Amino acid sequence: TQLLEQSPQFLSIQEGENLTVYCNSSSVFSSLQWYRQEPGEGPVLLVTVVTGGEVKKLKRLTFQFGDARKDSSLHITAAQPGDTGLYLCAGLNSGTYKYIFGTGTRLKVLA
Amino acid sequence: DSGVTQTPKHLITATGQRVTLRCSPRSGDLSVYWYQQSLDQGLQFLIQYYNGEERAKGNILERFSAQQFPDLHSELNLSSLELGDSALYFCASSGTPPETQYFGPGTRLLVL
């Protein structure tokens, strides 16, 4: 069974701090997505990474896909209260067409 | 706005009843996925359809069924509802190749 483990599960930080969220698996994925979800709403896509070693930047967010395409990280610089939410990673197994979702990281940024 | 639409937004019903949730994918997307998310839980994959055919199955109960129609919209049918079926149900769609899913706003189901 494929699993995607995210760490940490919960994170509460002050505005202006930096943080990194990790997404790890023993399985290889053909692509990996990061989403942010607010309570009662659908996950909103932040980024898709496809190539091993790929780094993508989205303003203060930096996403990295591991060289072996088994893990990924999300780094937020100078976090703001608007970054608060549930962050989910999801890996695509192109053989089974299934997306495997991570366990989620619940981030709270305090003003 | 992801381009994926779901109706209804909220649904309140009683145990033992049957409901139908509807999803319209993004224009041009052939794949539709259904997920269940219970309170403070992760997303549980239920089922995927591609161009009208079932492609992958996850942890979908036998009381639940789905289909995708020729116009590519999809419906998730939940029957003999139990209290534990109360959850958010999300639909997502993806193109070909399916690198990325785009999620709809969800249907919140409350079974009383």
Side-chain angles (χ1 to χ4, degrees), chain A residues 31 33 35 37 39-43 45 48 50 86 88 90 92 96-99 101-103 106, chain B residues 9 33 35 37 40 43 45 48 55-58 88 90 94 98-105 108:
Chain A
S31 68
Q33 296 82 46
Y35 296 85
Q37 185 181 21
E41 299 183 9
L45 178 71
T48 297
V50 179
L86 176 67
L88 295 163
L92 171 63
T96 62
Y97 306 107
K98 285 185 184 178
Y99 287 86
F101 273 83
T103 46
R106 201 167 292 279
Chain B
K9 191 161 177 62
Y33 309 78
Y35 292 87
Q37 187 177 42
D40 287 337
L43 283 161
F45 169 68
Q48 181 205 356
R55 174 169 269 188
K57 218 167 186 175
L88 274 164
F90 289 106
S94 68
E99 283 183 358
T100 298
Q101 292 179 102
Y102 295 88
F103 281 81
R108 183 179 291 279

Side-chain angles (χ1 to χ4, degrees), chain A residues 6 9 18 27 49 68 74 80 83 93-94 96 111:
Chain A
Q6 282 186 241
Q9 282 191 323
N18 301 333
S27 302
V49 284
L74 157 60
Q80 299 177 0
D83 296 327
N93 180 322
S94 59
T96 62

